[in-house]
Amino acid sequence: MREVFHEQLDSIFLDLADICGRVKAAVHLATEALLTGDIDVAERVIGDDVAIDLARERVEDSAFSLLSLQQPVAGDLRTLVAALRMVTELERMGDLSVHVAKIARLRVPNIAVPAEVQPTISQMAEVAEHMVDKVSAIITHRDVAAAIELGRDDEVMDRLRRLSFTELLSDDWQHGVEAAVDIALLGRYYERIADHAVSVANRVVFVVTGENPAAVSSNP
């Protein structure tokens, strides 16, 4: 009976990794729409978010079913509760990708990001997508070392976020308030995707070790 339970628990984590794949695609396509002004790609991201929402519901249903039928304790209970929190974070990452796509759609036929700011936004998008990809592997393999390492990628994102503010607050900024607001929002969206990725990774650390990630990373 316990073997079946753990197979079902592993299945939930595979579903979480699958959602990561969907989120990675959403980040990639939303950025494509943003930098090319392609309204069809933007609409695809917005429409595909339904699939992420449904996948989140399936994970929740599976987790609640195991909670009610198996009444897990200790480490198994910790794993299920973490899975419920993780899937919420992953869904939010998908929602943030939709926000990026909506900015792209709003500015069509123009491109929302001025040319001189595109390198910074592109780098933020690449870091966000890379972090989501790493989270998928972290969930699949329950890789504590990789989860702790992800915090370094987040530091890169924070630096890029500061750079984007420097660019839009520069005396040389000539694109008006509307574009400045777009850049501020976009920076926030990508930064939050990264923050959620770190949070999910930290929950994997807690599932595996039962300890706070900061305590694990400080151990020799």
Side-chain angles (χ1 to χ4, degrees), residues 26-137:
V27 174
H28 179 81
L29 291 173
T31 304
E32 179 183 330
L34 182 70
L35 298 178
T36 64
D38 191 323
I39 193 168
D40 291 333
V41 175
E43 293 288 3
R44 177 181 169 187
V45 174
I46 295 166
D48 286 353
D49 190 56
V50 174
I52 294 177
D53 294 341
L54 291 174
R56 185 262 303 166
E57 291 176 7
R58 288 194 295 271
V59 167
E60 288 180 343
D61 289 344
S62 297
F64 285 130
S65 177
L66 287 179
L67 281 169
S68 61
L69 296 177
Q70 301 292 340
Q71 297 181 338
V73 295
D76 291 339
L77 178 60
R78 182 173 70 231
T79 300
L80 277 173
V81 171
L84 286 168
R85 291 177 176 172
M86 288 159 65
V87 76
T88 299
E89 305 244 28
L90 293 173
E91 182 194 30
R92 183 57 184 149
M93 292 157 75
D95 291 340
L96 289 161
S97 300
V98 169
H99 293 337
V100 172
K102 286 183 175 179
I103 287 181
R105 183 178 66 177
L106 183 64
R107 302 306 173 204
V108 171
N110 298 315
I111 294 176
V113 183
E116 61 265 38
V117 190
Q118 286 190 16
T120 302
I121 296 298
S122 294
Q123 288 179 64
M124 294 184 81
E126 288 172 7
V127 171
E129 186 177 341
H130 181 61
M131 290 178 73
V132 176
D133 193 39
K134 279 190 173 181
V135 166
S136 179

Side-chain angles (χ1 to χ4, degrees), residues 163-184:
L163 176 59
S164 71
F165 269 121
T166 299
E167 290 171 335
L168 69 88
L169 294 174
S170 168
D171 291 338
D172 296 330
W173 183 262
Q174 300 177 353
H175 306 287
V177 173
E178 186 177 83
V181 170
D182 284 346
I183 297 305

